[in-house]
């Protein structure tokens, strides 16, 4: 069982930057390999994909809405995945979740929430105009 804990969310102004972290706690996390992703859910909307990264970090993928503004990265030695968010806009306001899926292919990524097995509780990002 992998436990994920997000942090870093807060209230910011439009144009600001913010870096979210997702720490994985599980004694076998570094025994197996996990693809990771970030998703978000805005008030009144469905959960949407934001970004994904393979275990090797060789492959990354972003939603069109955040391409060029957000950057996903990971530090496997620290069991942590990051989401650097720049040029934040009010429409980025949402509860941000990280997710993990075990995969033996260290280069694979997943963009559908259906593909992920483990989820964090989320961290709130609010962008004021």
């Amino acid at each position: 069982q992998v436990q994920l804990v997000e942090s870093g969310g807060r209230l910011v102004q439009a144009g600001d930057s913010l870096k979210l972290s997702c720490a994985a706690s599980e004694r076998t996390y570094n025994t197996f390999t996990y693809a990771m992703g970030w998703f978000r859910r805005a008030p009144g909307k469905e959960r949407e994909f934001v970004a994904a990264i393979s275990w090797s970090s060789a492959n990354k993928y972003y939603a069109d809405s955040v391409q060029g503004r957000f950057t996903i990265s990971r530090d496997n030695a620290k069991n942590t995945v990051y989401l650097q968010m720049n040029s934040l806009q009010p429409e980025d306001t949402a509860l941000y979740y990280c997710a993990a899926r075990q995969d033996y292919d260290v280069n694979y990524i997943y963009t559908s929430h259906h593909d992920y097995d483990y989820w964090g509780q989320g961290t709130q990002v609010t962008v004021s105009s």
Side-chain angles (χ1 to χ4, degrees):
Q1 186 76 15
V2 175
Q3 294 179 332
L4 304 174
V5 179
E6 303 94 336
S7 63
R10 61 182 177 90
L11 173 65
V12 297
Q13 294 187 336
D16 284 353
S17 297
L18 200 60
K19 188 173 186 177
L20 305 183
S21 299
C22 171
S25 175
E26 197 268 343
R27 62 184 176 88
T28 62
Y29 185 77
N30 281 322
T31 299
F32 300 102
T33 55
Y34 293 88
M36 301 293 294
W38 284 96
F39 292 77
R40 66 187 181 185
R41 186 192 297 273
K45 296 186 178 181
E46 294 186 352
R47 177 173 41 186
E48 66 170 346
F49 167 78
V50 176
I53 187 169
S54 61
W55 175 262
S56 66
S57 296
N59 291 312
K60 303 176 184 179
Y61 191 77
Y62 300 91
D64 289 343
S65 59
V66 306
Q67 179 74 47
R69 299 189 298 125
F70 290 12
T71 301
I72 189 171
S73 62
R74 67 191 298 166
D75 184 340
N76 291 337
K78 296 182 178 180
N79 294 352
T80 303
V81 177
Y82 306 97
L83 185 67
Q84 176 66 47
M85 305 185 293
N86 298 330
S87 301
L88 283 162
Q89 299 301 315
E91 52 265 34
D92 294 316
T93 294
L95 187 62
Y96 283 73
Y97 301 89
C98 71
R101 175 192 167 122
Q102 182 188 335
D103 197 304
Y104 292 108
D105 187 334
V106 298
N107 296 314
Y108 209 79
I109 58 173
Y110 298 88
T111 60
S112 170
H113 67 274
H114 296 292
D115 293 322
Y116 286 89
D117 302 313
Y118 306 102
W119 293 85
Q121 294 300 308
T123 185
Q124 179 67 39
V125 173
T126 303
V127 185
S128 65
S129 57

